[in-house]
Amino acid sequence: MENNNTYTIGSFKAARECKCPRCRTGQMFGGGMFSLKQKMNKNCPHCGFKFEIEPGFFYVSMFVSYALSVAQFVAVCIAAYVLSGGSESPWLYLTVCTVTAILLSGFNFRYSRVIQLYWLTPSLSFNEKYYGDAYKKS
């Protein structure tokens, strides 16, 4: 008996690898995550999907980025408190939060947009006909 099921990458893995939400094949970003110049592709290089669906579409990702930053700040401040033995110096926490914000800015930029496209845009979903090397953009 022949198995006709073809493998497709899962939603979480595709989001983690910053793949296009429609085809889960093309890359959403050019360059590295920690490069100084972050660049998001305008269209998917594989299926041609336009990532910015309408003007100002990624304003919502600012709120997602804010939520990610708050969670990161809480985590690093708790870690700094524990590791410093309960220090109450505001300069310690200000320094830790500033360094965290600078180091994780590329991560927050990318994944706030990925989260918005994958889970906060209900009209956008995976379309199996665009997946993989079998699809040729015309």
Side-chain angles (χ1 to χ4, degrees):
M1 191 162 148
E2 184 178 329
N3 185 1
N4 289 332
N5 294 339
T6 58
Y7 171 77
T8 57
I9 188 171
S11 175
F12 185 75
K13 184 176 180 185
R16 189 185 66 214
E17 295 176 3
C18 298
K19 302 281 188 185
C20 170
R22 182 169 80 167
C23 68
R24 294 185 188 168
T25 304
Q27 290 292 332
M28 291 175 59
F29 297 93
M33 184 182 306
F34 298 108
S35 65
L36 294 176
K37 188 174 181 182
Q38 293 286 325
K39 181 184 176 293
M40 182 174 189
N41 296 327
K42 292 188 185 296
N43 298 320
C44 174
H46 182 73
C47 70
F49 175 72
K50 184 178 178 185
F51 293 121
E52 189 170 8
I53 297 170
E54 59 188 28
F57 177 74
F58 286 116
Y59 283 138
V60 173
S61 68
M62 290 189 302
F63 297 106
V64 176
S65 178
Y66 174 75
L68 290 172
S69 295
V70 168
Q72 292 160 358
F73 293 159
V74 168
V76 298
C77 285
I78 290 173
Y81 180 80
V82 170
L83 294 174
S84 69
S87 174
E88 294 182 6
S89 170
W91 294 108
L92 170 68
Y93 301 107
L94 181 64
T95 303
V96 166
C97 287
T98 303
V99 169
T100 301
I102 292 169
L103 290 178
L104 295 178
S105 62
F107 175 87
N108 289 344
F109 172 77
R110 283 180 182 235
Y111 285 102
S112 63
R113 290 178 177 221
V114 167
I115 289 169
Q116 181 182 356
L117 282 170
Y118 271 84
W119 294 291
L120 299 178
T121 309
S123 62
L124 179 61
S125 63
F126 173 62
N127 191 335
E128 200 170 309
K129 76 177 186 178
Y130 296 111
Y131 178 74
D133 295 331
Y135 174 73
K136 300 292 184 207
K137 188 168 71 170
S138 22

